[in-house]
Amino acid sequence: MQSNIPCRRLAVKPRIKICMGSSCFRRGNRKNLEFIETYLEQHGCTADVELVGSRCEEECRKGPNLQINGQMFHEVNQEKLTELLLEFIEKKSGE
């Protein structure tokens, strides 16, 4: 099922770097990774986004952590992740 809101078509792909260190993985990034993959697939964005993992971002106490386009986000849960994906990946209404 695809969204009515398409992915932004940018000259440079948005880059999501998700921490897969043991602390972040246990704190929720395992589920966050699954959520991101499903979200990108459902919204037809898989080819338009670079999704990579990292071993550790050295900010374990603030995890789960991920970066989007080099900007670090901490304590990322699925609600926050949805907001971030809308902001960075999908075209906002009126754009």
Side-chain angles (χ1 to χ4, degrees), residues 2-3 5-9 13-14 36 39-50 85 89-91:
Q2 291 192 353
S3 168
I5 303 171
C7 290
R8 295 183 203 186
R9 303 293 185 222
K13 289 183 179 185
I36 293 168
Y39 183 97
L40 295 177
E41 185 177 313
Q42 288 179 343
H43 291 79
C45 302
T46 303
D48 300 310
V49 176
E50 181 183 5
L85 292 171
I89 308 303
E90 290 193 13
K91 185 182 227 174

Side-chain angles (χ1 to χ4, degrees), residues 1-43:
M1 176 169 104
Q2 291 192 353
S3 168
N4 294 334
I5 303 171
C7 290
R8 295 183 203 186
R9 303 293 185 222
L10 302 172
V12 177
K13 289 183 179 185
R15 185 172 201 253
I16 301 172
K17 182 178 178 183
I18 186 164
C19 181
M20 299 308 286
S22 60
S23 179
C24 283
F25 193 77
R26 276 194 312 270
R27 290 178 184 216
N29 268 353
R30 179 183 59 81
K31 289 182 181 180
N32 286 343
L33 176 60
E34 292 170 3
F35 182 84
I36 293 168
E37 290 172 331
T38 300
Y39 183 97
L40 295 177
E41 185 177 313
Q42 288 179 343
H43 291 79

Side-chain angles (χ1 to χ4, degrees), residues 27-85:
R27 290 178 184 216
N29 268 353
R30 179 183 59 81
K31 289 182 181 180
N32 286 343
L33 176 60
E34 292 170 3
F35 182 84
I36 293 168
E37 290 172 331
T38 300
Y39 183 97
L40 295 177
E41 185 177 313
Q42 288 179 343
H43 291 79
C45 302
T46 303
D48 300 310
V49 176
E50 181 183 5
L51 178 60
V52 298
S54 67
R55 291 190 180 188
C56 185
E57 294 299 319
E58 303 297 329
E59 300 203 38
C60 303
R61 290 184 179 178
K62 299 177 185 177
N65 302 304
L66 64 83
Q67 290 183 35
I68 301 179
N69 298 335
Q71 184 177 350
M72 181 68 79
F73 298 94
H74 305 288
E75 299 177 359
V76 178
N77 57 29
Q78 288 187 6
E79 180 180 336
K80 188 172 185 177
L81 188 52
T82 300
E83 293 171 10
L84 292 170
L85 292 171

